[in-house]
Amino acid sequence: MNQDAERISNAGPEDSVLVAAAQQGDQAAFGEIVRRYQRAIYRVAYALTRNASDADDLAQEAFVRAWGAIGRFELGQPLYPWLARIVTNLAFSLFRGRKRRPETPLEPLLDAGQQWGTTDDPAENVAQREHDAHLRECFDELTPEHQVILTLRVIEDQSYEQMAETLSVPIGTVMSRLSRARAELKRRMLQRTGERR
Amino acid sequence: MKHLTAQQVNQQLDGALPPEERDDVLHHLEECAICRQLVQEFVVQGEQISHALRHDPGEAYFATFSGRVMERVAAERAAAHPGRAAGARGGWLGWVGSPRALATVGGTLAILAVAGIAFVQWRSRPSAFAILGHAKGKTAEAPHAERGRTVDEGSRAQSRATEREGAVSKDSKEAEAPAERAVDRRANIMSSPGAREVAESNLRQAPAPPAATRARDVGVDDRAGAAAGRAEPTQTKAQKLEEASGTQFRFAKPSAAPPVQNEAVPRPGEAQGGTNALRKDVAARSLGSAEKSRAPAPSAAAPMSATLDARSPLVATTVRVCGVVRDPNGRAVPGALVAVAESGRSTVSEADGAFCIDAPGGRSTLAALAVGFETARIPLADATSAEPIAVVLKPVATVVPPSPFAGGAKRVSGAEADGANAPDPFEGEAAATRAEVARARQQAGLAARERSAGAWDAAATDWARVLARVAGVGSADEARYRVAEARFRAWEAAPDARRARLAEETLTSFLVRAPLGAKRDQASRWAQQLSR
């Protein structure tokens, strides 16, 4: 899934133009930025919180913070990693505030059939839901850094450079962190399914 | 065979292999099933993550999302704008709006409030003040000056209020008692039965106000009365005193006593009445704090008066006036209260009737009051210490109690007569005023025959009209008495709260001005009757 394609499909002025206008106090321009990146930011927020309500709060707060800091944004730099960094930092803050991992949400279980349960086999649906539940639980057990790197890569399809920009870390760190995150998630999934067996 | 590294596997997954490694990695994956399976597992993992962690809230959610964000942005901007504006202003303007500034200002105000309360409480303790005043003497500036002014005002009020009473007794031992002893002193001052009754009645009517406030009230009130009645310079001086001291004298309205209406002299800029009921009470109290130049025990008031005198330009030039108080037979009158009306200073004559008192330079009036004598008033025009003053007090007439409906008292001795034998007090008034008097008398006669409250009310109104017209002091006293009588009779005929209040006001208005005599005694009895 190419998320860049989705953002590029938004017809209109370039991000830099909108940012420049927003830096001058143009709320309409900033509104356009919100509309342009709201889905991406919500995806990141949801992936990190696994809760629709938290994701909504996080996404809105991310844009509000972005408005407050738009004056410090350096024109010419990619906008999306900057927005993603804001929302991931907010997610980290949320994690630290709660002192615990996000609760396992009900929404994916409730609407799994609506989104992916297109098969007519009820048994397969149940197996898919169980697998997703295990995966979310294993994902919850990862460190926030691993959750974020996997989210940015898998959910948002960010490149290494974008992830490095978002996380303000070197590309090598992105690569190693992503590699360890994948391995850790795989290990936990194998461990969980092995226990089940 | 060497397997792919984890980095190469991830780069393969993410399409990030360097071009120079891409062919080698692809070749290895074609040959190595383990590495191919590993990559395949991560591909599946990615798809599963994407499925499990993705949530689509629907188009409706995103249709309104930007709007909600922009609402919050607008709210944040509105909330943050003052702060930014303050920050842009910088300096103290920015600091003023900060919570720290509010806390600082609040703390400062709290400290000031506590200090103010402590100061007020300290000032409201007369005994402690008196002790402090003795201890510090003239070194204490403002509090002494303030209290001294109060004492002087009170003394002045006392001297005028008692001018017409013609009765005073010496009790210098209580001179330093500020308030409660003054109540006892008042009983001594009001040695005549009628005066005592008035004093007690007034005490009941005005129990609460502090002594200092009362003294100040009387000072002002009496100044106004004096200005209206006789002494214009006194009013001028009162204004000067207020201007010089920066103190706005106020009337303290007693809680129990209703306002007393001065029907003769409407005072501009102040509520009529309210303190007349206090006048005699406070005048008596203020006597306790009057100057006792020759009192054996040092008075708390004396040094304070001296302090004020030393500071005040109004009394900066004083002349020591000495003299002797005697009766018409040449016998010395001891214990006579001798007062200078303009300054409020007073002293008491010795056993041989001798006295000395400081009088302000220029024109002033010396008043001497003693029990059993009428008040003597002597103008001191350019008095000097070399001229001893001979004060001759005239004995007052003795009276027999009149019947309640006699309308006056019958003198059995004395120089003046009252009632039917007395000359018409309105004789010297203008013709129009005398016509009003005739009308009022006619109405009063009608009311006496009918004994109806309405008729007495009408009579009171007629007499009040007369009171507003009369010019002489004696005729004003007579008119004031008639008004009070009519009000009392109206209340007697139909007692209600309004008539009681009017009767009390008019009676008090008469009593605080009236000289000793049958009418005063009668008015005192009416006032007592009202209070019961």
Side-chain angles (χ1 to χ4, degrees):
Chain A
M1 180 184 297
N2 190 350
Q3 302 299 335
D4 287 333
E6 172 191 298
R7 291 191 289 274
I8 293 170
S9 66
N10 290 312
E14 295 291 329
D15 284 353
S16 58
V17 176
L18 294 175
V19 168
Q23 286 178 335
Q24 300 301 317
D26 188 348
Q27 291 192 38
F30 188 77
E32 178 58 27
I33 292 174
V34 173
R35 279 187 291 276
R36 187 168 291 187
Y37 291 99
Q38 59 187 2
R39 295 174 184 277
I41 297 302
Y42 181 86
R43 278 194 300 268
V44 174
Y46 184 85
L48 295 177
T49 60
R50 273 84 68 194
N51 183 291
S53 177
D54 286 345
D56 181 44
D57 291 342
L58 215 60
Q60 287 194 40
E61 183 65 23
F63 282 113
V64 172
R65 298 284 182 94
W67 168 259
I70 193 72
R72 298 191 295 272
F73 182 78
E74 188 177 350
L75 278 176
Q77 296 296 315
L79 182 59
Y80 174 65
W82 182 69
L83 294 173
R85 182 165 65 226
I86 293 175
V87 73
T88 53
N89 288 337
L90 288 173
F92 287 147
S93 299
L94 185 66
F95 294 161
R96 285 194 296 269
R98 288 179 174 177
K99 302 290 185 186
R100 56 190 288 270
R101 299 293 172 80
E103 297 177 354
T104 300
L106 293 174
E107 289 89 346
L109 299 175
L110 295 175
D111 57 20
Q114 298 174 8
Q115 293 189 36
W116 301 291
T118 53
T119 176
D120 296 332
D121 186 352
E124 190 174 344
N125 288 340
V126 171
Q128 181 66 42
R129 290 176 189 177
E130 285 184 355
H131 188 271
D132 287 347
H134 289 307
L135 184 63
R136 281 191 295 270
E137 290 173 3
C138 291
F139 192 87
D140 290 347
E141 293 170 2
L142 297 177
T143 64
E145 290 78 10
H146 286 174
Q147 290 185 37
V148 169
I149 200 76
L150 282 175
T151 299
L152 295 179
R153 175 61 204 146
V154 176
I155 304 296
E156 287 304 298
D157 198 18
Q158 285 195 3
S159 66
Y160 289 171
E161 291 77 11
Q162 286 177 325
M163 287 188 287
E165 178 76 18
T166 300
L167 300 176
S168 299
V169 295
I171 290 180
T173 302
V174 169
M175 294 171 63
S176 60
R177 187 179 292 179
L178 182 61
S179 176
R180 284 195 294 272
R182 281 171 167 154
E184 181 65 18
L185 182 61
K186 179 186 175 188
R187 186 186 66 79
R188 289 181 180 274
M189 281 295 288
L190 289 174
Q191 193 175 38
R192 185 171 288 262
T193 48
E195 288 174 356
R196 285 178 60 85
R197 287 172 187 159
Chain B
M1 184 176 189
K2 188 177 179 181
H3 294 293
L4 297 177
T5 64
Q7 183 174 343
Q8 286 176 322
V9 171
N10 281 278
Q11 286 177 329
Q12 170 61 28
L13 287 170
D14 300 326
L17 278 170
E20 61 273 15
E21 295 183 16
R22 187 174 301 158
D23 291 341
D24 294 340
V25 169
L26 291 177
H27 181 70
H28 177 80
L29 287 175
E30 288 176 358
E31 294 181 351
C32 181
I34 297 175
C35 290
R36 195 167 52 247
Q37 184 179 357
L38 182 62
V39 171
Q40 185 62 31
E41 287 175 357
F42 282 127
V43 170
V44 173
Q45 181 195 62
E47 291 176 351
Q48 290 173 341
I49 291 173
S50 182
H51 286 174
L53 301 182
R54 192 181 294 271
H55 175 247
D56 184 7
E59 284 302 318
Y61 171 82
F62 290 115
T64 59
F65 180 84
S66 62
R68 294 196 302 272
V69 169
M70 296 315 295
E71 284 179 5
R72 286 190 57 185
V73 164
E76 295 271 336
R77 190 178 190 182
H81 182 66
R84 283 202 298 269
R89 283 196 302 268
W92 66 275
L93 281 177
W95 180 83
V96 163
S98 68
R100 178 174 298 179
L102 295 177
T104 303
V105 172
T108 305
L109 290 178
I111 292 172
L112 289 177
V114 170
I117 291 171
F119 179 71
V120 169
Q121 288 185 341
W122 176 73
R123 285 197 58 196
S124 64
R125 298 173 61 183
S127 58
F129 178 81
I131 293 170
L132 197 61
H134 278 298
K136 292 186 176 179
K138 293 184 178 180
T139 58
E141 295 295 332
H144 279 200
E146 178 69 21
R147 184 58 61 95
R149 176 168 55 247
T150 302
V151 170
D152 274 2
E153 294 297 319
S155 301
R156 185 188 313 171
Q158 182 276 334
S159 66
R160 291 172 186 164
T162 53
E163 279 176 1
R164 298 179 185 181
E165 296 169 7
V168 67
S169 68
K170 179 181 180 183
D171 190 0
S172 59
K173 291 180 181 177
E174 296 178 357
E176 67 274 21
E180 52 271 24
R181 292 188 183 182
V183 177
D184 298 330
R185 167 172 288 278
R186 178 191 53 199
N188 293 332
I189 296 167
M190 306 301 173
S191 56
S192 73
R196 186 179 301 114
E197 288 169 358
V198 172
E200 291 171 355
S201 171
N202 290 335
L203 181 61
R204 282 194 298 274
Q205 294 168 0
T213 305
R214 295 181 183 192
R216 199 155 38 216
D217 291 342
V218 167
V220 176
D221 202 3
D222 194 72
R223 281 198 305 275
R230 57 185 187 280
E232 289 299 329
T234 308
Q235 176 68 28
T236 303
K237 185 173 179 181
Q239 294 170 349
K240 288 181 178 178
L241 185 60
E242 288 186 359
E243 291 171 1
S245 63
T247 302
Q248 183 69 36
F249 292 102
R250 299 292 183 194
F251 290 91
K253 189 173 183 178
S255 57
V260 180
Q261 185 175 1
N262 183 356
E263 298 186 10
V265 185
R267 298 165 194 158
E270 67 183 44
Q272 285 193 352
T275 55
N276 287 342
L278 291 174
R279 283 185 172 177
K280 291 192 67 59
D281 179 36
V282 182
R285 289 167 185 258
S286 66
L287 184 61
S289 56
E291 175 190 325
K292 302 295 177 185
S293 59
R294 285 176 288 178
S299 166
M304 286 184 279
S305 294
T307 304
L308 176 64
D309 289 348
R311 294 157 48 88
S312 171
L314 299 176
V315 291
T317 58
T318 59
V319 177
R320 189 75 171 171
V321 176
C322 294
V324 179
V325 183
R326 299 183 186 280
D327 66 6
N329 296 325
R331 290 174 296 196
V333 178
L337 179 71
V338 181
V340 177
E342 282 72 14
S343 68
R345 286 177 170 272
S346 65
T347 185
V348 178
S349 61
E350 294 288 349
D352 57 356
F355 68 90
C356 283
I357 190 170
D358 288 334
R363 301 186 59 177
S364 58
T365 303
L366 186 73
L369 308 88
V371 176
F373 296 92
E374 292 184 353
T375 302
R377 234 174 292 160
I378 300 171
L380 298 175
D382 300 325
T384 64
S385 58
E387 300 172 354
I389 306 296
V391 180
V392 178
L393 296 180
K394 192 176 180 182
V396 296
T398 56
V399 296
V400 292
S403 64
F405 298 100
K410 182 179 181 183
R411 294 179 184 274
V412 296
S413 66
E416 292 184 1
D418 195 10
N421 296 330
D424 187 0
F426 302 103
E427 195 171 350
E429 296 294 333
T433 305
R434 296 184 64 178
E436 291 282 358
V437 169
R439 247 193 313 275
R441 280 175 173 159
Q442 187 178 3
Q443 179 62 36
L446 177 67
R449 286 192 298 275
E450 293 183 354
R451 294 190 178 182
S452 70
W456 279 117
D457 285 337
T461 304
D462 289 344
W463 281 116
R465 196 174 295 118
V466 172
L467 183 59
R469 286 175 170 271
V470 293
V473 175
S475 52
D477 286 343
E478 177 68 15
R480 206 172 282 117
Y481 173 79
R482 296 302 173 190
V483 171
E485 179 191 29
R487 291 296 184 196
F488 175 79
R489 298 297 182 200
W491 169 81
E492 202 175 37
D496 58 24
R498 186 184 67 85
R499 289 195 173 94
R501 179 175 57 80
L502 290 172
E504 188 176 15
E505 288 176 0
T506 51
L507 281 170
T508 308
S509 177
F510 168 72
L511 286 170
V512 298
R513 295 176 176 84
L516 290 178
K519 290 179 180 174
R520 183 184 182 83
D521 294 343
Q522 180 62 64
S524 297
R525 278 191 290 275
W526 287 339
Q528 261 189 322
Q529 203 171 333
L530 264 175
S531 65
R532 283 198 295 266

